[in-house]
């Protein structure tokens, strides 16, 4: 028999991770619940003044998305590291960086995509205009994959450490800042009726950059962590 | 399992392993050819696992090189990975997946041997456990599932770290039998074990890291 081709191995790994995510649903629900709860608490905390909520809404949603992403990051490699599956991945005859794309894609599908689905509800809660809601969805679609891709590098570097969580936040948060700035100000601009093309182009550029560089960096970081 | 492997050579040249400023071993050289086994012995903490992790390429030796058919394994990289199978301390199976799903995944990460998954489970006396989620298996059964990976993929070099952990005497003889067939086929083996390994082959290199 011939060895599995790379696309087959990619598909099998993606399916495995999605199956695993489905079988431990509570792990996925947690970041999503966090995202919804944090956003929903703000009107209670700062008062239900529509003008105020419209001003701070884009920032709130994006900060919550950022923290939700950070909360879910460790699940990318933690269980694979604990049960030894990561060693098997490392020793497969397939290029590790391509397998990393499958892992990050699976992570985004179960943690990033759900944020996009609930975001319209949250933008209604924060009195954002229809235009702003539209822009919010585009920024989430462009931005959350960047969070997963960049986060994966950080997790790969810290997975071998006993208490990697704190270092992970410190390592990854500064890299999330550009996404936060461009995404939140795009939504705010759109609410004020200003053009947002420049912001969206920059977010798209960040996504392209992260997609092309992160898999190789993640693979290299994992090799360092495991040795 | 009627296949024979093409002849290959694994050669360690003056390898050393240093951990936390402590030299576990140095100037270690050996050659492993088709049908031969290397048995790594030594006390706890003498570097047995480190040596095996170096041999499969997870860890780099602090000095020296390892060659597969004359080529440095770090140059060969994924080409070398295709020739090796590793079962370490950790079973490397996903507890939320069934026995069959685990082996389907393992097979996609190597060269399939052509052996059906149900037959591999049968050979490991896990027949009928195909759909059982691995978390419901006993420790010994999990270990046998991990070792079943060796049957569904076709790798000339098996690197096994304490393969007999949590196996009963029957399970141990099962694995010994599997290893002996592998060696008779022209396969190669690097193994650490606290239990004596019952190998038919006379071609065994013993490396004691405590001496």
């Amino acid at each position: 028999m011939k060895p599995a081709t790379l696309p087959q191995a990619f598909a099998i790994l993606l399916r495995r991770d999605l199956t695993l995510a489905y079988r431990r649903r509570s792990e996925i629900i947690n970041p999503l619940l966090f995202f919804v709860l944090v956003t929903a608490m703000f009107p209670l905390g700062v008062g239900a003044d529509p003008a105020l909520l419209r001003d701070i809404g884009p920032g709130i949603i994006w900060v919550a998305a950022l923290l939700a992403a950070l909360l879910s990051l460790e699940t990318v490699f933690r269980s694979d590291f604990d049960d030894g599956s990561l060693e098997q991945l490392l020793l497969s005859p397939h290029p590790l960086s391509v397998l990393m794309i499958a892992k990050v894609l699976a992570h985004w599908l179960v943690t990033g995509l759900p944020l996009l689905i609930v975001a319209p509800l949250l933008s209604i809660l924060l009195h954002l205009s229809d235009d702003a809601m539209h822009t919010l969805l585009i920024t989430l679609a462009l931005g959350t994959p960047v969070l997963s891709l960049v986060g994966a590098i950080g997790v790969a570097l810290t997975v071998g450490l006993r208490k990697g969580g704190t270092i992970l936040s410190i390592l990854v948060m500064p890299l999330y800042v550009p996404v936060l700035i461009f995404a939140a100000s795009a939504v705010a601009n759109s609410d004020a009726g200003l053009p947002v093309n420049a912001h969206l182009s920059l977010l798209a550029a960040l996504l392209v950059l992260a997609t092309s560089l992160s898999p190789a960096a993640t693979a290299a970081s994992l090799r360092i962590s495991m040795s | 399992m009627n296949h024979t492997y093409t002849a290959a050579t694994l050669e360690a040249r003056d390898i050393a392993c240093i951990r936390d400023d402590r030299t576990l071993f140095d100037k270690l050289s050996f050659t492993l050819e088709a049908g031969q086994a290397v048995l790594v012995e030594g006390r706890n903490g003498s570097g047995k696992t480190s040596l095996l992790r170096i041999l499969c390429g997870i860890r780099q030796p602090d000095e020296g090189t390892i060659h597969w058919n004359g080529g440095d394994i770090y140059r060969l990289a994924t080409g070398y990975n295709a020739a090796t199978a590793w079962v370490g301390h950790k079973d490397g199976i996903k507890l939320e997946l069934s026995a069959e799903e685990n082996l389907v995944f393992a097979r996609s990460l190597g060269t399939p041997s052509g052996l059906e998954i149900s037959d591999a489970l049968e050979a490991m006396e896990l027949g009928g456990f195909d759909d059982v989620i691995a978390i419901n298996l006993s420790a010994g059964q999990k270990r046998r599932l991990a070792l079943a990976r060796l049957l569904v993929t076709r790798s000339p070099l098996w690197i096994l770290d304490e393969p007999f952990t949590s196996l009963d005497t029957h399970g141990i003889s099962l694995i010994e039998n599997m290893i002996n067939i592998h060696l008779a086929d022209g396969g190669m083996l690097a193994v650490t074990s606290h239990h004596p390994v019952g190998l038919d082959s006379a071609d065994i290199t013993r490396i004691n890291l405590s001496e």
Side-chain angles (χ1 to χ4, degrees):
Chain A
M1 267 173 96
K2 284 203 158 71
T5 60
L6 188 54
Q8 280 169 344
F10 184 92
I12 292 175
L13 178 57
L14 182 64
R15 228 181 86 190
R16 181 198 79 146
D17 271 22
L18 293 178
T19 311
L20 284 172
Y22 176 71
R23 291 192 188 161
R24 30 172 120 108
R25 281 172 289 252
S26 59
E27 264 181 47
I28 313 163
I29 299 291
N30 201 16
L32 183 65
L33 201 66
F34 177 85
F35 178 61
V36 173
L37 285 180
V38 167
T39 316
M41 288 299 125
F42 265 87
L44 302 178
V46 300
D49 173 19
L52 176 65
L53 288 177
R54 276 175 82 148
D55 274 352
I56 60 172
I60 293 170
I61 294 183
W62 257 98
V63 168
L66 220 68
L67 295 175
L70 199 62
L71 197 67
S72 69
L73 265 187
E74 273 223 81
T75 56
V76 188
F77 294 126
R78 172 54 57 194
S79 83
D80 280 351
F81 177 81
D82 288 342
D83 65 22
S85 310
L86 206 51
E87 290 173 349
Q88 300 296 332
L89 275 185
L90 219 65
L91 296 177
S92 91
H94 305 293
L96 189 58
S97 48
V98 180
L99 298 180
M100 290 303 110
I101 301 176
K103 287 218 59 103
V104 173
L105 180 60
H107 178 257
W108 180 76
L109 286 175
V110 297
T111 62
L113 198 57
L115 301 191
L116 254 93
I117 294 166
V118 299
L121 289 174
L122 296 176
S123 61
I124 292 170
L125 188 74
L126 297 174
H127 296 279
L128 296 184
S129 64
D130 287 354
D131 270 356
M133 188 200 289
H134 190 226
T135 312
L136 175 68
L137 285 180
I138 298 175
T139 56
L140 282 173
L142 291 171
T144 48
V146 178
L147 302 185
S148 292
L149 284 162
V150 171
I153 307 174
V155 189
L157 276 173
T158 53
V159 73
L161 307 173
R162 290 275 164 276
K163 294 254 156 46
T166 324
I167 301 175
L168 178 65
S169 317
I170 295 170
L171 210 61
V172 165
M173 261 305 167
L175 299 171
Y176 280 181
V177 167
V179 179
L180 176 67
I181 292 173
F182 293 122
S185 64
V187 181
N189 275 9
S190 155
D191 204 46
L194 298 170
V196 293
N197 287 348
H199 295 88
L200 296 184
S201 302
L202 277 165
L203 277 177
L206 285 175
L207 177 58
V208 170
L209 188 72
T211 313
S212 48
L213 295 182
S214 153
T218 308
S221 310
L222 267 189
R223 286 191 198 284
I224 295 170
S225 284
M226 299 296 287
S227 63
Chain B
M1 298 229 321
N2 295 320
H3 48 67
T4 39
Y5 299 103
T6 45
T9 321
L10 179 77
E11 191 187 358
R13 294 183 194 161
D14 292 327
I15 57 171
C17 176
I18 299 162
R19 240 183 158 157
D20 302 330
D21 294 333
R22 222 158 43 87
T23 305
L24 292 176
F25 52 83
D26 64 347
K27 300 236 181 310
L28 183 69
S29 299
F30 62 87
T31 313
L32 193 59
E33 300 207 20
Q36 294 181 338
V38 55
L39 192 59
V40 184
E41 298 169 325
R43 286 194 302 268
N44 292 133
S46 59
K48 299 190 293 288
T49 297
S50 297
L51 174 58
L52 291 192
R53 288 172 73 90
I54 288 172
L55 285 184
C56 56
I58 298 176
R59 198 185 152 87
Q60 290 211 23
D62 293 286
E63 271 169 44
T65 48
I66 297 159
H67 297 260
W68 175 253
N69 288 337
D72 192 315
I73 63 169
Y74 289 99
R75 294 266 169 88
L76 296 171
T78 52
Y80 177 64
N81 288 346
T84 59
W86 158 253
V87 179
H89 271 291
K90 298 172 181 170
D91 288 330
I93 54 177
K94 297 304 285 185
L95 295 181
E96 293 89 348
L97 296 183
S98 71
E100 189 184 357
E101 288 168 328
N102 266 301
L103 290 185
V104 167
F105 177 65
R107 191 171 57 180
S108 78
L109 289 184
T111 313
S113 62
L115 190 71
E116 288 298 322
I117 286 185
S118 51
D119 294 338
L121 288 171
E122 204 72 55
M124 286 288 106
E125 299 191 357
L126 288 170
F129 286 90
D130 311 41
D131 294 332
V132 176
I133 302 295
I135 202 162
N136 294 327
L137 297 176
S138 77
Q141 286 171 326
K142 281 178 201 149
R143 198 66 187 156
R144 273 186 277 151
L145 178 58
L147 290 158
R149 281 205 302 266
L150 302 170
L151 295 177
V152 295
T153 57
R154 186 177 189 278
S155 314
L157 175 59
W158 289 2
I159 303 174
L160 311 179
D161 193 3
E162 298 289 347
F164 302 141
T165 310
S166 50
L167 290 182
D168 54 17
T169 46
H170 178 66
I172 291 176
S173 66
L174 204 67
I175 305 304
E176 282 176 346
N177 189 29
M178 181 173 119
I179 289 173
N180 282 324
I181 293 174
H182 176 69
L183 291 176
D185 266 355
M188 298 146 91
L189 170 75
V191 65
T192 66
S193 178
H194 289 301
H195 297 276
V197 189
L199 295 178
D200 297 339
S201 165
D203 248 339
I204 302 171
T205 315
R206 284 173 191 276
I207 296 175
N208 194 328
L209 296 176
S210 298
E211 284 168 358

